[in-house]
Amino acid sequence: MHPSSGRGDRMIIAQISDMHLRDDGILLKQKIDTEVALENAIGHINSWETPPNAILVTGDLVQRTKRQNYANLRKKLDQLRSPYYVIPGNHDNRTLIREHFSDLGYLPESGTFLQYSVDTGPLRLIGLDTMIPGENKGEICGKRCEWLQNILHEKPDQPTLIFMHHPPFKTGVNFLDRHQFQGSELLANIIEQNPQVIRIVCGHLHRQLQVSWAGTIASVSPSIAFQLPMALETDADRGFSLEPPACPVYIWQPDIGLIAHMSLIGDFGGLQPFVSDPIV
Ligand SMILES: [Fe+2]
Ligand SMILES: [Fe+2]
C-alpha cells in the first residue's frame, strides 16, 4: 500500500525542519555538517518499520539560495520512503523551490505564495507560506489569510493540521521573540473560527515547544541541524547548541485524536534488553 493512501483511519506524519543545507563542504557556523545532518534525519525516518504517510519539511531548507543547494536537497529528500511536502522559510527562495519541487504536484502553479492543502488521508494537511523575502521575520498577509479562510471553508468538518515555518505566537524567551510575526491576529481569528484545526506545527526557532494558541495547540519543531538554547533569563542571543537533533511524529487516530511524539536522531546504542536487576 502506498503510504499516502493511509492505513485505515490512522495516519502518521513526521516533520523535519530547518536543515539549512549547504553543499560546498563548509561547516555551518564552523561546526555543523548540514549534509550529514540531513542524511542522518532521512536515514532515521527510513529506518522505521512503518513509513509515515507524509513528511512535512518546514522551511529553512537551504542556508543560501543557490540552485545547486536545492538540487542537492531534492536528491536527498527523494530518498525518503514517504511523500514529502516542502514550504519556504526565511532562508529560502520561492522561485528555486518551484523550479525543483513543482513536479511533485502539490505546489500551486501560479501566484506568489507556496501554500497548498494535502487531501490524501483522514487528517487534512495545509501548508502556509509565511515568508517575507529578505527578512527574518514571518508574516501572514490579507491575501494569504483569504486563501486560508477559503480552503478551510471547503472542509469545515475534517480534522486539519496546519504547517508553517514561522511561529505566529510568542515563546516567553525574549531573544526568540525579537522578530515579531506580522498578521498573527488575523491568523488567530481564522483559526478560532475553524475548530477543525487541531494543530499548528512550525519551525524556525530550532527549539521544541508547545503552546495553547487561538483555541488550538501549536508547536515548534527542533531543527535537524542545530538547536537554540532554552535561555529563559536573558534577552541576549548567546549562541547555538549541539543538543540532539529530533523530528516530531504526529499520529492521527480518530478514537484518540492527534498524539505528538518526539523522535531523537542519533546513535543512542539501540534497544537494550529488559533484564533483571542483580539481587544484592
Ligand atoms: Fe532555521
Ligand atoms: Fe527560519
Side-chain angles (χ1 to χ4, degrees):
M1 183 188 284
H2 192 269
S4 66
S5 62
R7 287 164 289 267
D9 278 342
R10 191 181 193 222
M11 201 169 163
I12 299 171
I13 296 136
Q15 180 182 7
I16 54 176
S17 201
D18 293 271
M19 42 286 302
H20 290 260
L21 188 67
R22 54 186 309 160
D23 70 336
D24 47 14
I26 295 174
L27 297 181
L28 183 69
K29 306 186 189 306
Q30 299 183 20
K31 278 268 161 86
I32 305 135
D33 188 327
T34 56
E35 285 200 281
V36 169
L38 180 56
E39 283 159 14
N40 288 345
I42 290 169
H44 180 71
I45 295 174
N46 281 347
S47 74
W48 300 342
E49 209 173 322
T50 307
N53 298 93
I55 298 172
L56 312 175
V57 189
T58 49
D60 284 352
L61 307 174
V62 299
Q63 177 66 5
R64 298 232 172 112
T65 54
K66 291 193 298 179
R67 194 162 268 116
Q68 174 71 23
N69 282 341
Y70 283 101
N72 190 25
L73 176 72
R74 172 68 197 255
K75 220 164 36 183
K76 285 186 166 33
L77 290 177
D78 278 353
Q79 293 165 18
L80 287 164
R81 296 192 292 152
S82 308
Y84 61 85
Y85 301 94
V86 299
I87 50 164
N90 45 300
H91 279 261
D92 290 307
N93 176 290
R94 292 187 183 113
T95 307
L96 291 176
I97 291 179
R98 270 213 163 94
E99 211 175 277
H100 289 85
F101 295 96
S102 278
D103 65 303
L104 296 178
Y106 55 80
L107 293 173
E109 281 168 17
S110 58
T112 305
F113 305 114
L114 301 182
Q115 331 197 103
Y116 50 88
S117 71
V118 181
D119 293 283
T120 53
L123 181 68
R124 189 177 200 211
L125 309 172
I126 295 179
L128 287 186
D129 178 341
T130 55
M131 183 189 179
I132 311 174
E135 295 203 37
N136 277 328
K137 68 181 172 199
E139 172 186 49
I140 183 116
C141 56
K143 217 169 169 186
R144 283 175 265 196
C145 277
E146 197 186 321
W147 176 90
L148 176 64
Q149 200 143 25
N150 289 338
I151 204 135
L152 285 170
H153 280 176
E154 282 175 9
K155 298 187 176 182
D157 299 320
Q158 186 171 8
T160 300
L161 177 149
I162 291 178
F163 59 108
M164 55 202 283
H165 180 69
H166 297 86
F169 46 81
K170 296 229 181 227
T171 68
V173 175
N174 285 347
F175 81 90
L176 296 180
D177 289 337
R178 68 204 144 157
H179 303 300
Q180 212 184 343
F181 186 92
Q182 289 182 2
S184 77
E185 278 172 28
L186 272 179
L187 181 61
N189 279 337
I190 296 173
I191 302 303
E192 277 160 7
Q193 288 162 26
N194 286 275
Q196 76 270 32
V197 178
I198 56 170
R199 185 90 183 198
I200 299 175
V201 305
C202 311
H204 185 59
L205 297 181
H206 294 235
R207 171 120 228 120
Q208 130 171 232
L209 58 95
Q210 293 86 35
V211 63
S212 172
W213 186 77
T216 191
I217 301 170
S219 56
V220 177
S221 166
S223 162
I224 58 133
F226 67 95
Q227 315 308 325
L228 293 178
M230 192 185 68
L232 297 179
E233 309 302 334
T234 175
D235 291 351
D237 179 355
R238 288 191 291 193
F240 64 95
S241 138
L242 295 174
E243 289 166 86
C247 61
V249 183
Y250 311 101
I251 302 173
W252 163 252
Q253 233 171 269
D255 56 333
I256 303 177
L258 193 78
I259 310 111
H261 293 253
M262 188 63 67
S263 188
L264 299 184
I265 300 166
D267 181 0
F268 304 109
L271 279 183
Q272 307 296 311
F274 284 113
V275 292
S276 304
D277 296 334
I279 297 166
V280 287

